Amino acid sequence: METDKTTLADLSIFNQEEEFSFFNKLNMCTTSRGREQLYNNFCTPLKSVAEIYGVQQTVQCIINSQQLWPKQISNGTIMVIEKFYESTIDEIPSGSSSFSAFTYKVLHSYDFSLVKYSAQHCFDFIKGMQLMVQNFLNEETPLPLKKILEQAKKIIDKEQFLIVAKYNKSAELTNPQLLQFAAFIRYHYKINILELINAYAQLDAWLGMAKAMSSYGLKFPEFIETDKPLLQVSGLYHLLLTHPVAYDVELREKNNFLFLTGANMAGKSTFIKSIGSAVFLAHTGMGVPAQQMQLSYFDGLLSNINVADNIAKGESYFYNEVQRIKAKVKKLNDGKKWLIRRDE
């Protein structure tokens, strides 16, 4: 679905005052990398109904089995691993003898402490990913989740990681075992581990979506396969309001224009934003704040709510308003399905 920065700002998807944005409201990721991935997901709405349903099924799968999510992986774990690759340390002995480990500990005490600490977090991360694959990868796994987990399985399916499967905690490993494990991670598997971190970022983004849906009672919308625009919602409300008022909305091909009137401060703009934000969230695979929602796939979403002037470019409010209207007229004549929202 096509959109632009003005529309995203109008909908408060992202906001300079982050506490008043949908992204901040829905971000329940456990890691900063997951947060970054969720942000990217929101910046690029999905391109087909099949992709949307794939994400919906993935999020629902996580909701149903959230108790199986591994607790070994935290934001600190990810940060320590990334820092491990950035740190300058004396070479880690590749052998696993007690003598080489003891020598490294005595002669390179600071580096030994850093390597041991990092290796323990690497152990936890690999253990967590092994459990992810074990608990969530099966014949019924939704396609988007399956692709990520199969990618992860290939990365962790190494002889050097058998030791992770054998022990429950990194504290059970000896110093020689930890150093050998750390040497392999640092010198022979850096690119793969960073790929695995990227894979987990997407998993954590989906976990954040699942948590938000459960926390706020959001409902998955149903997409109707039709070449005609359709939007039918019952009990729609604005998620950022403390005490929202719910409404029903229906727009179809022959009833595709809604003219909204009312007194100032009556909630017209909020109502318009509620519709736009729900349609936007639906196209990211997220649940929506409504009792029920059916809609067609929209090719684009545009709005004119908070248009501003641009002093640097010498463009007045009126000029920018006209430019936005011009862009809308062009979109309306391109034969695609657009949801256009305009305020006053």
Short mmCIF file of all heavy atoms in Angstrom, two decimals, residues 177-240:
data_model
loop_
_atom_site.label_atom_id
_atom_site.label_comp_id
_atom_site.label_asym_id
_atom_site.label_seq_id
_atom_site.Cartn_x
_atom_site.Cartn_y
_atom_site.Cartn_z
N GLN A 177 36.20 -24.73 27.31
CA GLN A 177 35.04 -24.86 26.42
C GLN A 177 34.51 -23.49 26.01
O GLN A 177 34.18 -23.26 24.84
CB GLN A 177 33.94 -25.67 27.10
CG GLN A 177 34.24 -27.15 27.24
CD GLN A 177 33.18 -27.88 28.04
OE1 GLN A 177 32.69 -27.37 29.07
NE2 GLN A 177 32.81 -29.07 27.58
N LEU A 178 34.44 -22.57 26.96
CA LEU A 178 33.96 -21.22 26.66
C LEU A 178 34.88 -20.49 25.68
O LEU A 178 34.43 -19.83 24.75
CB LEU A 178 33.82 -20.41 27.95
CG LEU A 178 32.55 -20.61 28.77
CD1 LEU A 178 32.64 -19.86 30.09
CD2 LEU A 178 31.31 -20.15 27.99
N LEU A 179 36.18 -20.63 25.88
CA LEU A 179 37.14 -19.96 25.00
C LEU A 179 37.09 -20.55 23.59
O LEU A 179 37.16 -19.81 22.60
CB LEU A 179 38.55 -20.08 25.57
CG LEU A 179 38.86 -19.25 26.82
CD1 LEU A 179 40.30 -19.45 27.26
CD2 LEU A 179 38.59 -17.76 26.57
N GLN A 180 36.96 -21.85 23.49
CA GLN A 180 36.86 -22.48 22.17
C GLN A 180 35.59 -22.03 21.46
O GLN A 180 35.59 -21.73 20.26
CB GLN A 180 36.89 -24.00 22.31
CG GLN A 180 36.94 -24.73 20.97
CD GLN A 180 37.03 -26.23 21.14
OE1 GLN A 180 36.54 -26.78 22.11
NE2 GLN A 180 37.65 -26.90 20.18
N PHE A 181 34.50 -21.96 22.21
CA PHE A 181 33.23 -21.50 21.67
C PHE A 181 33.34 -20.05 21.22
O PHE A 181 32.88 -19.68 20.12
CB PHE A 181 32.15 -21.65 22.76
CG PHE A 181 30.78 -21.23 22.34
CD1 PHE A 181 30.04 -21.96 21.42
CD2 PHE A 181 30.20 -20.09 22.89
CE1 PHE A 181 28.76 -21.57 21.06
CE2 PHE A 181 28.93 -19.68 22.53
CZ PHE A 181 28.20 -20.43 21.61
N ALA A 182 33.97 -19.21 22.04
CA ALA A 182 34.12 -17.79 21.72
C ALA A 182 35.00 -17.58 20.49
O ALA A 182 34.73 -16.71 19.66
CB ALA A 182 34.71 -17.04 22.91
N ALA A 183 36.06 -18.38 20.38
CA ALA A 183 36.96 -18.25 19.23
C ALA A 183 36.24 -18.57 17.93
O ALA A 183 36.42 -17.89 16.91
CB ALA A 183 38.16 -19.18 19.41
N PHE A 184 35.41 -19.60 17.95
CA PHE A 184 34.66 -19.95 16.75
C PHE A 184 33.67 -18.83 16.38
O PHE A 184 33.58 -18.43 15.21
CB PHE A 184 33.90 -21.26 16.96
CG PHE A 184 32.98 -21.61 15.83
CD1 PHE A 184 33.49 -22.07 14.62
CD2 PHE A 184 31.60 -21.45 15.94
CE1 PHE A 184 32.65 -22.39 13.56
CE2 PHE A 184 30.75 -21.76 14.90
CZ PHE A 184 31.28 -22.23 13.70
N ILE A 185 32.95 -18.33 17.38
CA ILE A 185 31.98 -17.26 17.14
C ILE A 185 32.65 -16.01 16.58
O ILE A 185 32.15 -15.40 15.62
CB ILE A 185 31.24 -16.90 18.45
CG1 ILE A 185 30.34 -18.04 18.92
CG2 ILE A 185 30.43 -15.62 18.28
CD1 ILE A 185 29.14 -18.27 18.06
N ARG A 186 33.80 -15.65 17.12
CA ARG A 186 34.45 -14.39 16.74
C ARG A 186 35.20 -14.50 15.42
O ARG A 186 35.12 -13.58 14.58
CB ARG A 186 35.41 -13.95 17.84
CG ARG A 186 36.08 -12.60 17.57
CD ARG A 186 36.91 -12.15 18.74
NE ARG A 186 37.65 -10.94 18.47
CZ ARG A 186 37.21 -9.70 18.69
NH1 ARG A 186 36.01 -9.52 19.21
NH2 ARG A 186 37.95 -8.65 18.44
N TYR A 187 35.91 -15.58 15.18
CA TYR A 187 36.81 -15.65 14.03
C TYR A 187 36.25 -16.39 12.82
O TYR A 187 36.73 -16.21 11.71
CB TYR A 187 38.13 -16.31 14.45
CG TYR A 187 38.84 -15.60 15.57
CD1 TYR A 187 39.32 -16.30 16.67
CD2 TYR A 187 39.03 -14.22 15.54
CE1 TYR A 187 39.99 -15.65 17.70
CE2 TYR A 187 39.68 -13.57 16.57
CZ TYR A 187 40.16 -14.28 17.65
OH TYR A 187 40.80 -13.62 18.67
N HIS A 188 35.22 -17.19 13.03
CA HIS A 188 34.74 -18.03 11.92
C HIS A 188 33.25 -17.89 11.63
O HIS A 188 32.77 -18.46 10.65
CB HIS A 188 35.04 -19.51 12.21
CG HIS A 188 36.47 -19.79 12.49
ND1 HIS A 188 37.45 -19.77 11.50
CD2 HIS A 188 37.12 -20.09 13.66
CE1 HIS A 188 38.62 -20.05 12.04
NE2 HIS A 188 38.45 -20.24 13.34
N TYR A 189 32.51 -17.15 12.47
CA TYR A 189 31.05 -17.16 12.28
C TYR A 189 30.41 -15.79 12.50
O TYR A 189 29.24 -15.70 12.80
CB TYR A 189 30.43 -18.19 13.24
CG TYR A 189 29.39 -19.06 12.58
CD1 TYR A 189 29.69 -19.80 11.44
CD2 TYR A 189 28.11 -19.17 13.11
CE1 TYR A 189 28.74 -20.60 10.84
CE2 TYR A 189 27.15 -19.97 12.53
CZ TYR A 189 27.47 -20.69 11.39
OH TYR A 189 26.53 -21.49 10.79
N LYS A 190 31.18 -14.73 12.32
CA LYS A 190 30.66 -13.39 12.59
C LYS A 190 29.47 -13.03 11.70
O LYS A 190 28.41 -12.62 12.20
CB LYS A 190 31.78 -12.35 12.39
CG LYS A 190 31.30 -10.91 12.55
CD LYS A 190 32.43 -9.91 12.34
CE LYS A 190 31.92 -8.48 12.46
NZ LYS A 190 33.00 -7.48 12.27
N ILE A 191 29.62 -13.20 10.39
CA ILE A 191 28.55 -12.83 9.46
C ILE A 191 27.29 -13.62 9.76
O ILE A 191 26.18 -13.07 9.76
CB ILE A 191 29.00 -13.04 8.00
CG1 ILE A 191 30.14 -12.08 7.65
CG2 ILE A 191 27.83 -12.84 7.05
CD1 ILE A 191 30.70 -12.28 6.26
N ASN A 192 27.45 -14.90 10.06
CA ASN A 192 26.29 -15.75 10.33
C ASN A 192 25.57 -15.34 11.61
O ASN A 192 24.33 -15.32 11.66
CB ASN A 192 26.75 -17.21 10.44
CG ASN A 192 27.50 -17.68 9.22
OD1 ASN A 192 28.68 -17.40 9.09
ND2 ASN A 192 26.83 -18.36 8.30
N ILE A 193 26.34 -15.00 12.64
CA ILE A 193 25.72 -14.59 13.90
C ILE A 193 24.98 -13.26 13.72
O ILE A 193 23.87 -13.08 14.26
CB ILE A 193 26.78 -14.47 15.01
CG1 ILE A 193 27.35 -15.84 15.34
CG2 ILE A 193 26.17 -13.84 16.26
CD1 ILE A 193 26.34 -16.84 15.87
N LEU A 194 25.55 -12.35 12.96
CA LEU A 194 24.87 -11.07 12.72
C LEU A 194 23.59 -11.29 11.90
O LEU A 194 22.59 -10.59 12.10
CB LEU A 194 25.82 -10.11 12.01
CG LEU A 194 27.04 -9.66 12.83
CD1 LEU A 194 27.92 -8.70 12.03
CD2 LEU A 194 26.61 -9.02 14.15
N GLU A 195 23.62 -12.24 10.97
CA GLU A 195 22.41 -12.61 10.24
C GLU A 195 21.36 -13.17 11.18
O GLU A 195 20.16 -12.90 11.04
CB GLU A 195 22.74 -13.63 9.15
CG GLU A 195 23.49 -13.05 7.95
CD GLU A 195 23.81 -14.12 6.92
OE1 GLU A 195 23.48 -15.31 7.16
OE2 GLU A 195 24.37 -13.78 5.87
N LEU A 196 21.82 -13.95 12.15
CA LEU A 196 20.90 -14.54 13.12
C LEU A 196 20.28 -13.46 14.01
O LEU A 196 19.10 -13.54 14.36
CB LEU A 196 21.67 -15.55 13.99
CG LEU A 196 20.84 -16.57 14.76
CD1 LEU A 196 20.01 -17.43 13.82
CD2 LEU A 196 21.74 -17.44 15.62
N ILE A 197 21.06 -12.44 14.33
CA ILE A 197 20.53 -11.32 15.10
C ILE A 197 19.46 -10.58 14.30
O ILE A 197 18.41 -10.19 14.83
CB ILE A 197 21.66 -10.36 15.52
CG1 ILE A 197 22.55 -11.02 16.59
CG2 ILE A 197 21.10 -9.04 16.05
CD1 ILE A 197 23.76 -10.20 16.99
N ASN A 198 19.71 -10.40 13.01
CA ASN A 198 18.70 -9.76 12.14
C ASN A 198 17.43 -10.59 12.07
O ASN A 198 16.32 -10.06 12.05
CB ASN A 198 19.27 -9.56 10.74
CG ASN A 198 20.32 -8.46 10.68
OD1 ASN A 198 20.31 -7.54 11.50
ND2 ASN A 198 21.23 -8.55 9.73
N ALA A 199 17.61 -11.91 12.01
CA ALA A 199 16.44 -12.80 11.99
C ALA A 199 15.65 -12.67 13.28
O ALA A 199 14.40 -12.61 13.26
CB ALA A 199 16.89 -14.25 11.78
N TYR A 200 16.35 -12.60 14.40
CA TYR A 200 15.64 -12.47 15.67
C TYR A 200 14.95 -11.11 15.78
O TYR A 200 13.90 -11.00 16.44
CB TYR A 200 16.57 -12.65 16.86
CG TYR A 200 15.80 -12.66 18.17
CD1 TYR A 200 15.07 -13.77 18.55
CD2 TYR A 200 15.76 -11.52 18.98
CE1 TYR A 200 14.32 -13.77 19.70
CE2 TYR A 200 15.02 -11.51 20.14
CZ TYR A 200 14.30 -12.63 20.50
OH TYR A 200 13.54 -12.62 21.64
N ALA A 201 15.51 -10.08 15.15
CA ALA A 201 14.87 -8.76 15.18
C ALA A 201 13.47 -8.83 14.60
O ALA A 201 12.52 -8.25 15.14
CB ALA A 201 15.72 -7.76 14.41
N GLN A 202 13.30 -9.58 13.50
CA GLN A 202 11.97 -9.73 12.91
C GLN A 202 11.07 -10.56 13.82
O GLN A 202 9.88 -10.26 13.98
CB GLN A 202 12.07 -10.39 11.53
CG GLN A 202 10.73 -10.58 10.84
CD GLN A 202 10.00 -9.27 10.60
OE1 GLN A 202 10.29 -8.53 9.67
NE2 GLN A 202 9.03 -8.96 11.47
N LEU A 203 11.63 -11.60 14.43
CA LEU A 203 10.84 -12.40 15.37
C LEU A 203 10.37 -11.54 16.54
O LEU A 203 9.22 -11.63 16.97
CB LEU A 203 11.68 -13.57 15.88
CG LEU A 203 12.10 -14.63 14.85
CD1 LEU A 203 13.07 -15.62 15.47
CD2 LEU A 203 10.88 -15.36 14.30
N ASP A 204 11.24 -10.69 17.04
CA ASP A 204 10.89 -9.83 18.17
C ASP A 204 9.87 -8.78 17.77
O ASP A 204 9.01 -8.40 18.57
CB ASP A 204 12.16 -9.16 18.72
CG ASP A 204 11.92 -8.47 20.05
OD1 ASP A 204 11.12 -8.99 20.85
OD2 ASP A 204 12.54 -7.43 20.30
N ALA A 205 9.95 -8.31 16.52
CA ALA A 205 8.94 -7.36 16.03
C ALA A 205 7.56 -8.01 16.02
O ALA A 205 6.57 -7.39 16.44
CB ALA A 205 9.32 -6.87 14.63
N TRP A 206 7.49 -9.25 15.55
CA TRP A 206 6.21 -9.98 15.57
C TRP A 206 5.75 -10.26 17.00
O TRP A 206 4.55 -10.19 17.29
CB TRP A 206 6.34 -11.29 14.80
CG TRP A 206 6.42 -11.10 13.31
CD1 TRP A 206 5.85 -10.11 12.58
CD2 TRP A 206 7.12 -11.94 12.38
NE1 TRP A 206 6.15 -10.27 11.24
CE2 TRP A 206 6.92 -11.37 11.09
CE3 TRP A 206 7.89 -13.10 12.50
CZ2 TRP A 206 7.46 -11.95 9.94
CZ3 TRP A 206 8.43 -13.67 11.36
CH2 TRP A 206 8.22 -13.10 10.09
N LEU A 207 6.71 -10.54 17.89
CA LEU A 207 6.36 -10.75 19.29
C LEU A 207 5.75 -9.47 19.88
O LEU A 207 4.76 -9.53 20.62
CB LEU A 207 7.60 -11.15 20.09
CG LEU A 207 7.42 -11.25 21.61
CD1 LEU A 207 6.43 -12.35 21.97
CD2 LEU A 207 8.77 -11.50 22.30
N GLY A 208 6.34 -8.33 19.54
CA GLY A 208 5.80 -7.05 20.01
C GLY A 208 4.38 -6.82 19.52
O GLY A 208 3.52 -6.35 20.27
N MET A 209 4.12 -7.17 18.26
CA MET A 209 2.77 -7.04 17.71
C MET A 209 1.80 -7.95 18.44
O MET A 209 0.67 -7.57 18.75
CB MET A 209 2.80 -7.36 16.21
CG MET A 209 3.56 -6.36 15.37
SD MET A 209 3.83 -6.89 13.66
CE MET A 209 2.15 -6.91 13.02
N ALA A 210 2.24 -9.18 18.73
CA ALA A 210 1.39 -10.14 19.43
C ALA A 210 1.05 -9.64 20.83
O ALA A 210 -0.11 -9.73 21.28
CB ALA A 210 2.10 -11.49 19.50
N LYS A 211 2.04 -9.10 21.54
CA LYS A 211 1.80 -8.58 22.88
C LYS A 211 0.82 -7.41 22.85
O LYS A 211 -0.05 -7.29 23.71
CB LYS A 211 3.12 -8.14 23.51
CG LYS A 211 4.03 -9.28 23.94
CD LYS A 211 5.29 -8.73 24.60
CE LYS A 211 6.17 -9.84 25.15
NZ LYS A 211 7.39 -9.30 25.80
N ALA A 212 0.99 -6.52 21.86
CA ALA A 212 0.12 -5.36 21.75
C ALA A 212 -1.32 -5.78 21.46
O ALA A 212 -2.26 -5.21 22.03
CB ALA A 212 0.64 -4.42 20.66
N MET A 213 -1.47 -6.76 20.58
CA MET A 213 -2.82 -7.22 20.26
C MET A 213 -3.51 -7.79 21.49
O MET A 213 -4.68 -7.51 21.74
CB MET A 213 -2.77 -8.27 19.15
CG MET A 213 -2.53 -7.68 17.78
SD MET A 213 -3.03 -8.80 16.47
CE MET A 213 -4.76 -9.06 16.79
N SER A 214 -2.79 -8.57 22.27
CA SER A 214 -3.36 -9.16 23.48
C SER A 214 -3.64 -8.08 24.53
O SER A 214 -4.68 -8.12 25.20
CB SER A 214 -2.41 -10.21 24.05
OG SER A 214 -2.20 -11.27 23.14
N SER A 215 -2.73 -7.12 24.65
CA SER A 215 -2.87 -6.08 25.66
C SER A 215 -4.05 -5.16 25.40
O SER A 215 -4.77 -4.78 26.33
CB SER A 215 -1.57 -5.26 25.74
OG SER A 215 -1.67 -4.22 26.69
N TYR A 216 -4.27 -4.81 24.13
CA TYR A 216 -5.31 -3.83 23.79
C TYR A 216 -6.56 -4.47 23.20
O TYR A 216 -7.50 -3.75 22.85
CB TYR A 216 -4.76 -2.79 22.81
CG TYR A 216 -3.56 -2.04 23.35
CD1 TYR A 216 -2.35 -2.03 22.69
CD2 TYR A 216 -3.65 -1.33 24.54
CE1 TYR A 216 -1.25 -1.35 23.18
CE2 TYR A 216 -2.56 -0.64 25.05
CZ TYR A 216 -1.36 -0.66 24.37
OH TYR A 216 -0.28 0.02 24.87
N GLY A 217 -6.58 -5.78 23.09
CA GLY A 217 -7.78 -6.45 22.57
C GLY A 217 -8.07 -6.13 21.12
O GLY A 217 -9.23 -6.00 20.73
N LEU A 218 -7.03 -6.00 20.30
CA LEU A 218 -7.23 -5.67 18.88
C LEU A 218 -7.72 -6.90 18.12
O LEU A 218 -7.46 -8.04 18.51
CB LEU A 218 -5.92 -5.16 18.28
CG LEU A 218 -5.26 -3.98 19.00
CD1 LEU A 218 -4.00 -3.55 18.25
CD2 LEU A 218 -6.22 -2.82 19.14
N LYS A 219 -8.42 -6.67 17.02
CA LYS A 219 -9.00 -7.74 16.21
C LYS A 219 -8.39 -7.73 14.80
O LYS A 219 -8.20 -6.67 14.20
CB LYS A 219 -10.51 -7.56 16.08
CG LYS A 219 -11.24 -7.41 17.41
CD LYS A 219 -11.20 -8.67 18.23
CE LYS A 219 -12.02 -8.51 19.50
NZ LYS A 219 -11.97 -9.71 20.37
N PHE A 220 -8.11 -8.92 14.28
CA PHE A 220 -7.62 -9.01 12.91
C PHE A 220 -8.75 -8.66 11.94
O PHE A 220 -9.86 -9.19 12.05
CB PHE A 220 -7.11 -10.41 12.59
CG PHE A 220 -5.76 -10.72 13.16
CD1 PHE A 220 -5.57 -11.82 13.98
CD2 PHE A 220 -4.67 -9.91 12.86
CE1 PHE A 220 -4.31 -12.10 14.50
CE2 PHE A 220 -3.41 -10.19 13.37
CZ PHE A 220 -3.24 -11.28 14.19
N PRO A 221 -8.49 -7.80 10.96
CA PRO A 221 -9.50 -7.49 9.95
C PRO A 221 -9.57 -8.61 8.91
O PRO A 221 -8.62 -9.38 8.74
CB PRO A 221 -8.98 -6.20 9.31
CG PRO A 221 -7.49 -6.30 9.46
CD PRO A 221 -7.26 -7.01 10.77
N GLU A 222 -10.68 -8.67 8.22
CA GLU A 222 -10.86 -9.64 7.14
C GLU A 222 -10.78 -8.91 5.80
O GLU A 222 -11.50 -7.93 5.58
CB GLU A 222 -12.21 -10.34 7.27
CG GLU A 222 -12.49 -11.32 6.14
CD GLU A 222 -13.89 -11.89 6.19
OE1 GLU A 222 -14.66 -11.51 7.09
OE2 GLU A 222 -14.23 -12.70 5.30
N PHE A 223 -9.91 -9.38 4.93
CA PHE A 223 -9.78 -8.77 3.61
C PHE A 223 -10.66 -9.52 2.61
O PHE A 223 -10.61 -10.75 2.52
CB PHE A 223 -8.32 -8.79 3.14
CG PHE A 223 -7.49 -7.70 3.75
CD1 PHE A 223 -6.95 -7.85 5.03
CD2 PHE A 223 -7.26 -6.52 3.06
CE1 PHE A 223 -6.20 -6.85 5.60
CE2 PHE A 223 -6.50 -5.50 3.63
CZ PHE A 223 -5.97 -5.67 4.91
N ILE A 224 -11.46 -8.75 1.89
CA ILE A 224 -12.37 -9.31 0.89
C ILE A 224 -11.72 -9.21 -0.49
O ILE A 224 -11.30 -8.13 -0.91
CB ILE A 224 -13.73 -8.56 0.88
CG1 ILE A 224 -14.32 -8.54 2.30
CG2 ILE A 224 -14.68 -9.21 -0.11
CD1 ILE A 224 -14.58 -9.89 2.89
N GLU A 225 -11.61 -10.32 -1.17
CA GLU A 225 -11.02 -10.35 -2.51
C GLU A 225 -12.01 -9.73 -3.50
O GLU A 225 -12.98 -10.36 -3.91
CB GLU A 225 -10.67 -11.78 -2.90
CG GLU A 225 -9.57 -12.42 -2.05
CD GLU A 225 -8.18 -11.92 -2.43
OE1 GLU A 225 -8.08 -11.10 -3.37
OE2 GLU A 225 -7.22 -12.35 -1.79
N THR A 226 -11.77 -8.50 -3.88
CA THR A 226 -12.63 -7.79 -4.83
C THR A 226 -11.84 -6.69 -5.50
O THR A 226 -10.90 -6.16 -4.92
CB THR A 226 -13.85 -7.18 -4.10
OG1 THR A 226 -14.61 -6.39 -5.02
CG2 THR A 226 -13.43 -6.31 -2.94
N ASP A 227 -12.21 -6.39 -6.73
CA ASP A 227 -11.55 -5.30 -7.44
C ASP A 227 -12.26 -3.96 -7.18
O ASP A 227 -11.91 -2.94 -7.77
CB ASP A 227 -11.49 -5.58 -8.95
CG ASP A 227 -12.88 -5.79 -9.55
OD1 ASP A 227 -13.86 -5.90 -8.78
OD2 ASP A 227 -12.98 -5.86 -10.79
N LYS A 228 -13.28 -3.98 -6.32
CA LYS A 228 -14.01 -2.77 -5.96
C LYS A 228 -13.64 -2.36 -4.53
O LYS A 228 -13.44 -3.22 -3.67
CB LYS A 228 -15.52 -2.99 -6.05
CG LYS A 228 -16.00 -3.55 -7.39
CD LYS A 228 -15.69 -2.61 -8.53
CE LYS A 228 -16.22 -3.18 -9.85
NZ LYS A 228 -15.88 -2.30 -11.00
N PRO A 229 -13.52 -1.07 -4.27
CA PRO A 229 -13.17 -0.63 -2.91
C PRO A 229 -14.27 -0.96 -1.90
O PRO A 229 -15.46 -0.82 -2.20
CB PRO A 229 -12.99 0.89 -3.07
CG PRO A 229 -13.80 1.25 -4.27
CD PRO A 229 -13.72 0.07 -5.19
N LEU A 230 -13.86 -1.40 -0.73
CA LEU A 230 -14.82 -1.78 0.31
C LEU A 230 -14.22 -1.50 1.68
O LEU A 230 -13.05 -1.80 1.94
CB LEU A 230 -15.16 -3.27 0.21
CG LEU A 230 -15.93 -3.88 1.39
CD1 LEU A 230 -17.34 -3.31 1.48
CD2 LEU A 230 -15.96 -5.40 1.28
N LEU A 231 -15.02 -0.91 2.55
CA LEU A 231 -14.62 -0.69 3.93
C LEU A 231 -15.87 -0.78 4.81
O LEU A 231 -16.79 0.02 4.67
CB LEU A 231 -13.95 0.67 4.11
CG LEU A 231 -13.55 1.04 5.54
CD1 LEU A 231 -12.52 0.05 6.09
CD2 LEU A 231 -12.98 2.46 5.61
N GLN A 232 -15.90 -1.76 5.69
CA GLN A 232 -17.03 -1.94 6.58
C GLN A 232 -16.50 -2.26 7.97
O GLN A 232 -15.84 -3.28 8.19
CB GLN A 232 -17.93 -3.08 6.09
CG GLN A 232 -19.21 -3.24 6.88
CD GLN A 232 -20.16 -4.24 6.24
OE1 GLN A 232 -19.95 -4.69 5.12
NE2 GLN A 232 -21.22 -4.58 6.96
N VAL A 233 -16.77 -1.35 8.92
CA VAL A 233 -16.23 -1.47 10.27
C VAL A 233 -17.32 -1.25 11.29
O VAL A 233 -18.15 -0.34 11.14
CB VAL A 233 -15.10 -0.45 10.53
CG1 VAL A 233 -14.30 -0.84 11.75
CG2 VAL A 233 -14.21 -0.28 9.32
N SER A 234 -17.32 -2.07 12.33
CA SER A 234 -18.23 -1.85 13.45
C SER A 234 -17.42 -1.69 14.73
O SER A 234 -16.42 -2.38 14.94
CB SER A 234 -19.21 -3.03 13.58
OG SER A 234 -18.51 -4.24 13.81
N GLY A 235 -17.85 -0.76 15.55
CA GLY A 235 -17.17 -0.52 16.83
C GLY A 235 -15.76 0.03 16.67
O GLY A 235 -14.87 -0.29 17.46
N LEU A 236 -15.57 0.90 15.68
CA LEU A 236 -14.24 1.48 15.43
C LEU A 236 -13.98 2.61 16.43
O LEU A 236 -14.83 3.45 16.67
CB LEU A 236 -14.17 2.03 14.01
CG LEU A 236 -12.93 2.83 13.63
CD1 LEU A 236 -11.71 1.93 13.60
CD2 LEU A 236 -13.12 3.53 12.30
N TYR A 237 -12.76 2.64 16.99
CA TYR A 237 -12.39 3.71 17.91
C TYR A 237 -10.92 4.07 17.71
O TYR A 237 -10.17 3.34 17.05
CB TYR A 237 -12.65 3.30 19.37
CG TYR A 237 -11.87 2.09 19.82
CD1 TYR A 237 -10.64 2.22 20.47
CD2 TYR A 237 -12.37 0.81 19.61
CE1 TYR A 237 -9.92 1.10 20.89
CE2 TYR A 237 -11.66 -0.32 20.03
CZ TYR A 237 -10.44 -0.17 20.66
OH TYR A 237 -9.73 -1.26 21.07
N HIS A 238 -10.52 5.20 18.28
CA HIS A 238 -9.15 5.67 18.15
C HIS A 238 -8.32 5.12 19.31
O HIS A 238 -8.62 5.37 20.49
CB HIS A 238 -9.09 7.20 18.15
CG HIS A 238 -7.84 7.76 17.57
ND1 HIS A 238 -6.60 7.61 18.19
CD2 HIS A 238 -7.59 8.45 16.41
CE1 HIS A 238 -5.68 8.19 17.46
NE2 HIS A 238 -6.24 8.70 16.37
N LEU A 239 -7.27 4.39 18.99
CA LEU A 239 -6.49 3.68 19.99
C LEU A 239 -5.75 4.59 20.95
O LEU A 239 -5.46 4.20 22.09
CB LEU A 239 -5.48 2.76 19.28
CG LEU A 239 -4.69 1.79 20.15
CD1 LEU A 239 -5.64 0.83 20.87
CD2 LEU A 239 -3.70 1.01 19.32
N LEU A 240 -5.44 5.82 20.55
CA LEU A 240 -4.64 6.71 21.38
C LEU A 240 -5.48 7.49 22.40
O LEU A 240 -4.92 8.21 23.23
CB LEU A 240 -3.86 7.70 20.52
CG LEU A 240 -2.85 7.10 19.54
CD1 LEU A 240 -2.08 8.18 18.82
CD2 LEU A 240 -1.89 6.15 20.25
#
